């Protein structure tokens, strides 16, 4: 006789519960070292300024959520993590090549007092830039305009910068956004006008409009990025729950999160491929290993599970 034992499949679950926080940092990038000068979180009017803005954000979250564990969700977590890494104790990282997929650690806010921190890279789940989220998920919000090269340690310290200088940097940003393409002057003007519209709407002009408060502008831009990330991530999460009837936080990438689920067959003790067809609005597509590709026009789609 052959000794056999029935194997029951048990999906993994998070050992600790966490509160989802969607966050982003803005940095200066001249020289060899990138330095954070502010950060924001979705749903919060407060902006955290300074090189220690990451520490200020963590202290705020401890107080706001009454010492609950936090899941920080960044769209490119490997970059943003570096600005809070020195505040994280006992870090454990899940990486793929040079990319950070998930991180764990503790944030101590007093003697023997800590919360558990989980870092999730949303890009590992939704492999598209934030600027595509508006059309991909049908969002009312959108990724705004920021002339990144305008922000140096000197200009950040000055705060108010000549309007004409800002406009020139915005024109340059348009060119950088369209590398390899023929520059359309009319579209570039629209890009500049959209920036100036934001400056006005966000109250960033000086009284004579000769200068722009670039820190105030960047703060509003960062908040919008957080809102876009939160809206797109939650819509994606809810659509996956509609398909699979669950969402599992232990899956750090789209191939591992059971976007297309697997049925375990006890009788033959192996994974048996089955099929489903689903229609949702908006529709999402996955490649052969279940990696999220993007949204499509309304259609039927399916996969193995």
């Amino acid at each position: 006789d052959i000794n056999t034992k029935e194997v029951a499949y048990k999906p993994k679950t998070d050992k600790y519960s966490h509160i989802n926080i969607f966050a982003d940092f803005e940095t200066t990038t001249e020289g060899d070292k990138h330095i954070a000068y502010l950060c924001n979180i979705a749903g919060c009017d407060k902006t955290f300024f300074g090189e220690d803005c990451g520490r200020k954000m963590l202290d705020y979250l401890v107080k706001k959520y009454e010492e609950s564990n936090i899941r920080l969700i960044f769209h490119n977590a490997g970059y943003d993590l570096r600005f809070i890494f020195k505040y994280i104790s006992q870090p454990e990282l899940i990486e793929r090549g040079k990319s950070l997929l998930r991180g764990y650690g503790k944030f101590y806010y007093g003697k023997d007092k800590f919360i558990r921190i989980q870092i999730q890279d949303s890009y590992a789940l939704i492999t598209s830039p934030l600027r595509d989220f508006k059309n991909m998920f049908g969002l009312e919000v959108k990724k705004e305009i920021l002339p990144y090269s305008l922000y140096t340690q000197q200009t950040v310290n000055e705060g108010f910068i000549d309007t004409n200088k800002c406009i020139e940097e915005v024109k340059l940003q348009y060119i950088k956004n369209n590398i390899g393409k023929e520059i359309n002057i009319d579209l570039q003007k629209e890009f500049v006008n959209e920036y100036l519209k934001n400056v006005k709407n966000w109250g960033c002009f000086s009284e004579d409009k000769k200068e722009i408060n670039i820190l105030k502008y960047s703060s509003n831009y960062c908040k919008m990025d957080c809102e876009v990330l939160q809206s797109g991530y939650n819509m994606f999460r809810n659509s996956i729950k509609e398909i699979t009837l669950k969402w599992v936080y232990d899956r750090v990438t789209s191939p591992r999160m059971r976007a297309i689920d697997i049925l375990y067959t006890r009788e033959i003790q192996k994974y048996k491929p089955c099929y489903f067809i689903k229609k949702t609005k908006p529709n999402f597509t996955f490649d052969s290993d279940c990696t999220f590709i993007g949204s499509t026009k309304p259609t039927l789609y399916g996969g193995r599970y």
Side-chain angles (χ1 to χ4, degrees):
D1 293 339
I2 299 175
N3 292 328
T4 61
K5 181 180 179 180
E6 185 179 82
V7 178
Y9 172 68
K10 295 182 179 180
K12 296 180 180 178
T13 57
D14 276 343
K15 187 176 181 180
Y16 304 100
S17 61
H18 296 77
I19 294 174
N20 283 354
I21 301 295
F22 299 85
D24 191 26
F25 284 88
E26 299 302 333
T27 67
T28 59
T29 58
E30 82 271 22
D32 297 329
K33 183 179 180 181
H34 292 196
I35 300 175
Y37 62 86
L38 67 79
C39 68
N40 282 99
I41 58 178
C44 176
D45 291 333
K46 184 178 179 62
T47 298
F48 309 94
F49 290 99
E51 289 187 34
D52 62 344
C53 56
R55 171 72 195 222
K56 293 173 181 175
M57 175 187 67
L58 292 173
D59 286 334
Y60 171 83
L61 292 174
V62 168
K63 294 178 181 178
K64 178 175 176 60
Y65 294 104
E66 300 178 345
E67 306 174 9
S68 299
N69 297 323
I70 297 296
R71 177 183 293 108
L72 288 170
I73 301 173
F74 298 105
H75 207 60
N76 188 8
Y79 183 76
D80 295 273
L81 176 60
R82 69 181 68 183
F83 306 114
I84 59 172
F85 191 76
K86 62 183 177 181
Y87 309 122
I88 304 298
S89 300
Q90 304 173 30
E92 297 179 19
L93 305 180
I94 300 175
E95 299 173 295
R96 180 175 58 197
K98 295 183 179 180
S99 300
L100 173 70
L101 305 178
R102 170 73 62 80
Y104 301 90
K106 297 178 180 178
F107 171 62
Y108 282 84
Y109 56 91
K111 185 177 180 180
D112 299 326
K113 294 182 178 181
F114 67 88
I115 61 170
R116 298 182 186 278
I117 298 289
Q118 184 184 111
I119 308 294
Q120 172 65 49
D121 183 12
S122 55
Y123 191 83
L125 299 172
I126 311 171
T127 53
S128 296
L130 283 180
R131 63 176 174 269
D132 294 343
F133 275 33
K134 179 183 179 181
N135 293 330
M136 180 181 295
F137 298 112
L139 304 179
E140 294 183 2
V141 295
K142 62 184 176 67
K143 183 172 174 61
E144 298 293 350
I145 299 167
L146 188 73
Y148 295 101
S149 58
L150 174 63
Y151 290 83
T152 65
Q153 284 297 295
Q154 179 178 342
T155 58
V156 165
N157 289 332
E158 291 175 0
F160 279 86
I161 302 299
D162 181 77
T163 298
N164 290 328
K165 177 177 175 60
C166 293
I167 290 174
E168 291 305 312
E169 292 292 344
V170 172
K171 290 180 180 179
L172 179 61
Q173 187 62 51
Y174 177 82
I175 294 173
K176 291 179 179 178
N177 289 354
N178 294 276
I179 292 177
K181 300 178 183 179
E182 184 176 349
I183 300 303
N184 185 310
I185 300 301
D186 290 334
L187 291 180
Q188 187 182 50
K189 289 180 180 178
E190 289 182 18
F191 192 76
V192 171
N193 289 336
E194 184 68 22
Y195 171 78
L196 294 175
K197 179 181 177 181
N198 290 342
V199 172
K200 180 180 178 181
N201 291 341
W202 295 344
C204 301
F205 272 125
S206 61
E207 289 187 8
D208 58 8
K209 295 189 177 182
K210 291 183 179 180
E211 292 183 322
I212 294 173
N213 185 337
I214 63 170
L215 281 182
K216 186 174 183 180
Y217 184 93
S218 181
S219 171
N220 280 277
Y221 168 88
C222 189
K223 290 176 184 176
M224 292 297 294
D225 265 8
C226 294
E227 298 295 336
V228 169
L229 175 58
Q230 182 183 49
S231 298
Y233 180 95
N234 285 338
M235 180 172 287
F236 180 69
R237 174 178 179 268
N238 292 338
S239 296
I240 297 303
K241 286 178 66 178
E242 182 183 339
I243 295 171
T244 66
L245 303 181
K246 61 181 176 290
W247 172 268
V248 281
Y249 280 112
D250 66 296
R251 299 300 189 255
V252 300
T253 64
S254 48
R256 292 290 179 263
M257 71 177 185
R258 300 183 178 277
I260 299 175
D261 210 0
I262 294 174
L263 293 182
Y264 186 81
T265 348
R266 290 185 178 181
E267 291 76 14
I268 58 177
Q269 296 187 348
K270 66 179 182 180
Y271 290 106
K272 177 181 179 182
C274 301
Y275 294 85
F276 74 88
I277 296 178
K278 180 92 178 164
K279 181 176 181 180
T280 60
K281 295 182 180 180
N283 294 282
F284 304 118
T285 56
F286 302 83
D287 65 15
S288 58
D289 69 352
C290 305
T291 299
F292 176 62
I293 299 172
S295 60
T296 62
K297 295 180 180 180
T299 184
L300 291 174
Y301 68 90
R304 304 201 321 170
Y305 72 107

